[in-house]
Amino acid sequence: MLKEIAFSNFKGQTGAQPLNGMDIFIGRNGSGKTTRIQSIGLSMLGYIPKQGRTAADTFKYATGENMTVGLKTDDFAFTRTFSRDEKHNKKTGEITVSIKESVNVSPGKGERNDTAKKARVAAEIGSFPVMLDFSEFLSLSDAKRRDFVYSLSPITSDSWDRERIHRYLVDKLLTDELQVNNDEQYEIMQTLVAEAITQFPVGFGVSEGLQAMLDWVEREKKFWGGKQKDAQGAVRQFADMKNELAETDRNIAALKTELEDLQKQLIQAEKRISTDQERQKSLNKRNARITELAQSVDSMEANPVTNDTESIDIQIAEHQAQVQEAPDTEKQMAALNQEVADSKVVRTQHEQEERTLLNDISYIQGTVKSLENAVKETGEASGSCVIHKMIKCERDFSKFGDWVEKKKAEAKTAVDGLSAKVTVLRKKIKSCEATEEEARKKQSVLIRQVQDINNRNAFINKSITELTKQKNDRMAAAVEYINKLKLYRDELSKLKAEVVEPVTGLDLLEMQVKGIQSRMDTVKKSVADKEEAKQTIINMQKAVLENRAAGYKADCLKLIFEALGAKGIQGELVKEILEPIRAEIGGNLKLMGFNHEPFFQTESDTGKEIFQFGWVNEKGHSVNFDALSTGQQTVFLVAMMLTIIDRAQPKLRVLVMDDLNHLDRNNFQMLINGLGKVKDKLDNIILAGAIEFDFAADGWNVYDLSAEPEEVKRSA
């Protein structure tokens, strides 16, 4: 059973939809109902049913560079990812875009490539989803509905095959009566039956093979039917035209001789015209060039180009005058560097002295601390030896304490003197640091002054470069103008000085050629008409002889077509296939609470091939599917699709129905009640539609995709 649908960047949506076996998706248009339905088909098949099978067709539904769909069962999960890959050809600049599909399965069984993974998906999930757009099915014609049913349940037969079809044709058409009464037609029928059966390729199914035979017979019947009509007309006309044959032969010889003479005259006249036309073309070309050159010279003389660059030279001079020389700051920078270095030397000395004084202070303070500890220890000993308290010692250490106090006073005086020196040194260190900072600021000011002057000079020099280019371009344009004007004038003078022989008599020659061609067309038509008349008479003679055979073939092919078609084998085959389907649909209807016998009708009362179906109501009347109520139609389709699923025996028995918003409350309730009674026949039942009314759905999981995320699932 399917447990979850997953989709990412598919039709603008990303998410995971849990499934529980009986699920209904409702909500307004665009909320994602059809997205979930199509995700199932795309996951199982690798394409969206009825939307094209190529990866490019599928990727139209992506909203990003990658799109992923997938399904999950109790113990298996897989995803299909479609990615857009763009490659640039560095040589041609051409961009090639391709769509790639990759598959991921979990848990894996050592599949190394996508082909193996797709085979694993087919083995675990299958590739037979029964998905029906309800409103679209209702709009189909009888023939389209038949094709839909046959596409889901292909025509197969255990009793009909290539050999049985052959025997059927032989027994029905090659009768002893025909052989006795018309031996010639019997032989033609025998040949055509043998040719017809060869159109059924060995190994083909009965449906494909029978259709191939019908297509061939239809083509042959049309061809020989036309031959039969032509031959019958020829018989009627032959008597009127046969006397014209002798006169026709005599006229053709004279007309062909005249045509040869006219052809010679035409060749001579066309050669003279061709020579004069070339001369005229040359003359026209010369005159056109003279006009073109004269216009160019006039235009250039009216708009002369000079090499005057005075204004540009003035601008260049003004810009050059604005260029400043950067000041020499080397000495100033050196002095400031020396000042910083000298200050650092002095500061380093002061810092060293400071560290020495601090060390001395630390030493004195450490000594005082040691003396204080000694006084404390002697006091605590109180008659015992300071080495070990078990040793008695009568020595008096009170004077030692007085001595220590004296030493502490001397130490404080020494520390205060040293601290005063440290304070003086730190002021000197700060003075050195201030001196160094001031010198660095002065260096920054000097550097900034030089940079400002250099930047301004660079801007001015760029303008000078642009003005210089304008000057050079103007001078070059003036030189080009002078050279081109001279070239045009020289060519114009040369063309005007040429002596050209005029062309005369061209119109007269062309009129002569037209006269010859007109007469030739007349003679050719006369020859062609008479040749055609002669051939027609000959063909009619032949047609009279073939008339009987064409008629026999047309009649035989008509009989073969009827024996193969709806009145013969095809009709029997359809009845044989539809009967078990009809019985199974009836059983499913009863399970859903509808005690109606279904029926299929494949032939009208007039013998025309049709495809209609429905059920017999309580009064015993056959009610066509289109005459059923919308709810009854839906229930009938469910029973039919249950039959198709059962006959196909897919790995997963999944029934999906979309666009059920055309049902009213009663009809929709009728549908979900009926499906609830046959749920054991399916692994998953998934319904979708923009349902805007309340309904009872015991045992169903209903998802309102228009609601807030935490309110999506509800119990109807």
Side-chain angles (χ1 to χ4, degrees):
M1 183 175 76
L2 295 180
K3 289 292 188 179
E4 183 179 271
I5 310 168
F7 44 91
S8 175
N9 295 333
F10 180 50
K11 298 179 69 174
Q13 297 199 17
T14 295
Q17 177 63 59
L19 299 174
N20 295 281
M22 296 173 65
D23 302 279
I24 301 176
F25 298 110
I26 64 174
R28 63 177 179 272
N29 292 336
S31 59
K33 303 182 299 299
T34 301
T35 298
R36 286 157 172 77
I37 299 301
Q38 291 178 332
S39 293
I40 297 173
L42 178 55
S43 299
M44 295 181 74
L45 302 174
Y47 60 89
I48 301 174
K50 299 181 292 184
Q51 302 300 326
R53 297 197 174 200
T54 67
D57 292 329
T58 301
F59 200 73
K60 294 176 182 177
Y61 293 85
T63 50
E65 296 298 314
N66 297 282
M67 177 180 71
T68 300
V69 295
L71 298 175
K72 183 184 292 185
T73 66
D74 293 318
D75 53 8
F76 181 69
F78 74 97
T79 59
R80 294 182 190 268
T81 299
F82 298 85
S83 304
R84 183 179 186 273
D85 183 49
E86 186 175 291
K87 293 184 179 179
H88 296 259
N89 189 315
K90 295 181 179 179
K91 294 183 178 180
T92 64
E94 182 181 2
I95 299 175
T96 303
V97 177
S98 61
I99 307 301
K100 296 183 178 179
E101 177 189 0
S102 60
V103 179
N104 185 46
V105 298
S106 177
K109 291 185 177 180
E111 297 85 2
R112 295 186 177 181
N113 52 47
D114 285 336
T115 300
K117 292 175 183 177
K118 290 178 182 179
R120 172 80 184 284
V121 170
E124 297 282 352
I125 300 293
S127 58
F128 190 81
V130 176
M131 307 175 70
L132 177 68
D133 187 320
F134 181 68
S135 61
E136 182 177 340
F137 182 84
L138 295 181
S139 66
L140 296 177
S141 64
D142 285 357
K144 293 294 184 181
R145 291 177 182 176
R146 175 198 62 200
D147 294 342
F148 174 77
V149 174
Y150 287 174
S151 69
L152 294 178
S153 181
I155 295 178
T156 58
S157 174
D158 295 331
S159 58
W160 284 93
D161 56 16
R162 188 176 188 270
E163 296 304 321
R164 184 179 173 187
I165 291 174
H166 191 190
R167 290 196 305 273
Y168 179 89
L169 293 177
V170 171
D171 295 342
K172 186 173 181 64
L173 302 176
L174 295 174
T175 62
D176 294 338
E177 182 181 0
L178 177 62
Q179 186 174 23
V180 171
N181 295 334
N182 193 334
D183 184 61
E184 184 178 357
Q185 185 173 1
Y186 180 87
E187 291 181 359
I188 291 174
M189 178 67 81
Q190 194 173 36
T191 301
L192 290 173
V193 167
E195 290 182 15
I197 200 64
T198 61
Q199 306 304 313
F200 190 131
V202 176
F204 266 40
V206 65
S207 177
E208 297 85 353
L210 183 60
Q211 190 59 51
M213 293 178 67
L214 283 167
D215 292 342
W216 178 81
V217 174
E218 178 70 23
R219 291 193 302 270
E220 292 294 308
K221 182 164 69 72
K222 183 177 180 181
F223 175 79
W224 287 108
K227 287 285 187 182
Q228 184 183 32
K229 292 178 181 178
D230 294 342
Q232 290 171 348
V235 171
R236 292 191 296 269
Q237 296 179 31
F238 179 66
D240 298 330
M241 298 185 66
K242 62 181 181 179
N243 295 327
E244 298 178 8
L245 184 60
E247 181 65 23
T248 298
D249 287 338
R250 287 192 294 270
N251 291 338
I252 288 176
L255 290 171
K256 286 184 176 180
T257 300
E258 181 182 358
L259 191 60
E260 290 177 1
D261 293 338
L262 290 170
Q263 185 66 42
K264 293 177 182 178
Q265 296 176 29
L266 180 63
I267 291 172
Q268 292 177 353
E270 286 180 340
K271 287 177 64 176
R272 292 177 57 191
I273 288 176
S274 178
T275 301
D276 287 351
Q277 284 177 338
E278 289 301 320
R279 290 169 56 193
Q280 186 64 52
K281 286 180 182 178
S282 178
L283 180 61
N284 292 342
K285 185 176 179 181
R286 171 182 173 275
N287 292 337
R289 182 58 179 165
I290 288 174
T291 301
E292 180 185 357
L293 289 170
Q295 291 174 348
S296 297
V297 169
D298 292 343
S299 176
M300 292 182 70
E301 289 176 343
N303 301 282
V305 177
T306 65
N307 60 356
D308 180 18
T309 61
E310 183 178 354
S311 61
I312 298 177
D313 290 336
I314 292 171
Q315 294 182 61
I316 292 174
E318 290 175 348
H319 280 71
Q320 289 173 338
Q322 295 175 8
V323 176
Q324 295 180 359
E325 184 177 355
D328 185 4
T329 61
E330 184 176 352
K331 291 181 179 180
Q332 293 174 284
M333 292 294 290
L336 291 171
N337 286 333
Q338 186 61 47
E339 185 178 350
V340 170
D342 293 343
S343 178
K344 284 183 177 180
V345 171
V346 174
R347 177 165 53 83
T348 302
Q349 292 173 352
H350 291 333
E351 289 172 345
Q352 180 62 39
E353 291 176 8
E354 179 189 23
R355 285 192 294 272
T356 301
L357 292 173
L358 291 174
N359 289 335
D360 292 343
I361 291 171
S362 178
Y363 175 76
I364 292 171
Q365 290 174 339
T367 302
V368 170
K369 186 69 174 175
S370 297
L371 291 173
E372 288 176 341
N373 290 335
V375 171
K376 182 179 179 182
E377 289 177 0
T378 57
E380 291 175 349
S382 185
S384 301
C385 183
V386 295
I387 298 174
H388 195 279
K389 66 181 181 177
M390 297 298 293
I391 302 174
K392 184 177 181 182
C393 180
E394 300 294 338
R395 191 170 181 177
D396 184 10
F397 287 98
S398 59
K399 292 181 179 181
F400 177 70
D402 295 338
W403 182 81
V404 169
E405 288 298 324
K406 180 181 178 182
K407 288 297 180 182
K408 285 173 63 177
E410 292 175 355
K412 182 178 183 306
T413 301
V415 168
D416 290 344
L418 292 173
S419 297
K421 291 181 180 180
V422 169
T423 301
V424 171
L425 286 172
R426 285 178 176 173
K427 289 181 180 179
K428 290 181 180 180
I429 290 171
K430 286 187 177 293
S431 176
C432 290
E433 290 175 345
T435 300
E436 293 170 19
E437 180 65 22
E438 183 64 25
R440 290 193 184 95
K441 288 182 179 179
K442 290 179 181 179
Q443 287 178 326
S444 298
V445 170
L446 289 174
I447 292 171
R448 191 159 50 250
Q449 288 177 350
V450 173
Q451 288 177 340
D452 291 344
I453 292 173
N454 288 337
N455 290 339
R456 185 170 180 276
N457 288 344
F459 178 78
I460 295 171
N461 287 330
K462 182 179 178 182
S463 299
I464 293 173
T465 301
E466 293 175 353
L467 290 169
T468 303
K469 182 178 182 304
Q470 293 178 19
K471 176 181 177 181
N472 294 336
D473 291 345
R474 183 173 296 183
M475 294 175 67
V479 172
E480 183 181 3
Y481 168 81
I482 294 170
N483 292 337
K484 183 181 283 189
L485 182 60
K486 182 178 183 304
L487 183 66
Y488 287 170
R489 285 172 176 169
D490 291 346
E491 185 179 357
L492 182 61
S493 299
K494 182 178 179 181
L495 289 174
K496 288 182 176 180
E498 289 181 357
V499 178
V500 180
E501 183 179 352
V503 178
T504 59
L506 189 58
D507 293 341
L508 182 61
L509 284 171
E510 289 177 346
M511 290 178 61
Q512 181 181 353
V513 166
K514 287 181 180 178
I516 295 173
Q517 288 176 335
S518 177
R519 177 56 186 166
M520 287 180 67
D521 291 341
T522 302
V523 174
K524 285 179 180 179
K525 187 175 184 308
S526 297
V527 172
D529 290 345
K530 293 186 179 297
E531 290 280 9
E532 184 178 357
K534 178 180 178 181
Q535 188 61 41
T536 299
I537 295 171
I538 295 172
N539 289 340
M540 286 183 178
Q541 289 175 324
K542 183 178 179 181
V544 170
L545 299 176
E546 294 177 349
N547 177 50
R548 186 168 57 191
Y552 285 157
K553 285 188 176 182
D555 293 340
C556 289
L557 288 165
K558 182 178 179 181
L559 293 172
I560 294 173
F561 188 81
E562 290 178 353
L564 292 172
K567 296 181 180 180
I569 297 174
Q570 195 176 52
E572 294 297 323
L573 185 61
V574 170
K575 292 176 183 176
E576 177 184 317
I577 292 166
L578 288 179
E579 177 53 31
I581 293 178
R582 186 200 66 78
E584 290 180 30
I585 293 174
N588 289 328
L589 285 172
K590 290 178 181 178
L591 285 176
M592 297 171 71
F594 292 84
N595 194 22
H596 301 305
E597 284 296 324
F599 70 86
F600 284 92
Q601 185 178 358
T602 59
E603 185 178 348
S604 68
D605 295 336
T606 60
K608 183 179 179 181
E609 182 182 5
I610 60 175
F611 185 79
Q612 295 182 358
F613 54 90
W615 68 34
V616 180
N617 64 12
E618 297 83 353
K619 297 180 180 180
H621 298 151
S622 295
V623 183
N624 190 279
F625 177 83
D626 292 324
L628 297 174
S629 70
T630 307
Q632 291 172 333
Q633 289 178 335
T634 310
V635 170
F636 189 98
L637 289 176
V638 169
M640 183 167 67
M641 288 192 290
L642 285 172
T643 300
I644 292 167
I645 293 174
D646 190 55
R647 291 169 67 85
Q649 289 296 304
K651 297 286 288 186
L652 279 175
R653 301 169 300 168
V654 181
L655 172 62
V656 184
M657 297 184 73
D658 192 11
D659 200 16
L660 294 174
N661 41 282
H662 293 283
L663 300 176
D664 59 21
R665 178 185 285 106
N666 293 333
N667 288 326
F668 187 73
Q669 193 66 59
M670 184 189 306
L671 170 65
I672 61 177
N673 290 344
L675 283 172
K677 295 177 182 179
V678 295
K679 61 182 180 181
D680 293 337
K681 286 196 167 193
L682 298 165
D683 295 312
N684 290 84
I685 306 174
I686 302 171
L687 308 180
I691 309 301
E692 298 180 350
F693 46 77
D694 293 332
F695 54 90
D698 295 337
W700 292 84
N701 288 284
V702 181
Y703 297 89
D704 186 351
L705 301 181
S706 299
E708 294 298 325
E710 62 272 12
E711 301 175 354
V712 167
K713 184 177 177 182
R714 70 177 178 85
S715 178

